[in-house]
Amino acid sequence: RRMGSRVAVQARFGRERARVVAARLPSRRDSVARHRPSARRAGQEAQATDDVLLKIADVKSKATELASLGLDPVGTREPGDDLGESEQALVRGIRAAGEVLCEGLLEREVEVKLLLLAALTGEHLLLLGPPGTAKSELARRLSKVCHGRYFERLLTRFSVPEELFGPLSMKGLEEDRYQRQVHGYLPTAQVAFVDEIFKANSAILNALLTLLNERLFDNGAERMEVPLLCLVGASNELPESEELDALYDRFLIRRTVGQVSSQGLRDLARLASSGTTTRQFHTDEAPLSLEDFLSCRDRAIASVEVPDRVVDLLVQLREHLQDKCEPPVYVSDRRFTKCVTFLQVAAFANGAKEVSVYDCLLLQFVLGQRKEDGDKVLDFVLENISSDPGILQNELSLLGVFGRACRVLQSSSGDTSELLSECEALVSSLRGQHESFNSALELGFPHLRGSLWYSPQQVASAGQVLTPPMKENLKKIEQLLEEILMVKLCLEGGHHAEVLEKLLPKRLKQYEKGVSKTA
């Protein structure tokens, strides 16, 4: 009986508990009704995702189409196209003078070009090398081409000032005046050649330094102007004494001259057999007058611009040589400022209205204390040309515009006109970079090939170094152009920030990383 009553109680308790649980649980109809809004939201989210994907695809397609517009290879202008008649005549004369100076010489094309450039700039050329390598012949030829008074002297440790500057005036001494008879000596020469110049003693150095740099000579109590156009100095070795450093710095252009190569010996033998090597150089041609040489520098300064791109390269190059090279390469302020004028003359002779970064390859002959320093300069300039720091600057600008665009699109408010203007500026800058790189690659570096100052061998060597990195950077420019166009299209279309973020996930990560660092 007791067992029966306990079972009955448990059964009633079970039925009561089942009713309570059933009351708490919703009915099937209520469950379906409750889940209908959730399904609706899922459909809406799916629809929104589809809209975002469609917008992403549309923006990508338009950006790709816009980026490809105007990216075809462009032609190059002929040197001198925008110059006046007198400037064009000067450019033709410079090229003709180079051909005359090279006549009958083997493997001296670079030296001839540097000599001509030194004379046009009104600077001096130092030739380093063993005897018998046509160093003095170059100076003699220049004097005959420009029809200037010529002076030549070989210095020794025992040379006295009278050998360069003329003997003392006997008549002057009788009248208590310390003067020299300078006629026919260095103070009256327009082109000069001084061999073994670093053997000059202190008595010669003091007067020589002022004469080379300021074109002034102290003749007793009188300071006279000298008409010197260009002095070619020669030496078998670099100066070892510190007192000669100032004289070494007076030579803006420096070149190491070697023997004729093994491949050129046969041609040299043929020239010798015909008497060409012993025949005195003579020319009746006058492609340039002395006045053309004297006025070229001033005309170049007046007509040739130096763009910021070149100025930045010069500043970075000096910092690199002095702070990052081992041993450091010292570049004086005087040499740095003269580099600018040197590049203007080089560009002017090519018929250009502004200095190009390709002109800066000539700095390998201007900046540097030792022979190997020229290679350091050349490597830096080539790397700068192929990489173009402006690409990194544009990439950073793109990242800033992207972040601000995301914030504006997220808030769905705010003025986008400023952002759109920045986008247009970036597009213009990137198209300009693309045009520069693309024309250089497609047309075989026309700035180098059309330059008076580079030999075919130099052009080929530079092209081999520049081509691979420039191709890579060309792809990078195209990618940056497409990305900034995506930002621009999203701003113009008023798309949600999610569209832009999904279009450029890499830039989103970079931007968030930058924000977290500054936070």
Side-chain angles (χ1 to χ4, degrees), residues 56-68 485 489 495:
I56 289 174
D58 182 53
V59 170
K60 271 188 176 182
S61 175
K62 289 181 179 178
T64 302
E65 182 180 354
L66 289 173
S68 63
L485 286 171
L489 288 170
H495 300 314

Side-chain angles (χ1 to χ4, degrees), residues 412-423:
S412 301
S413 63
D415 186 13
T416 62
S417 58
E418 183 178 350
L419 282 172
L420 287 172
S421 297
E422 292 185 33
C423 289

Side-chain angles (χ1 to χ4, degrees), residues 486-504:
M486 290 180 186
V487 176
K488 182 173 179 289
L489 288 170
C490 286
L491 288 170
E492 290 175 341
H495 300 314
H496 194 269
E498 183 184 6
V499 176
L500 184 56
E501 292 171 356
K502 289 183 179 293
L503 277 168
L504 303 174

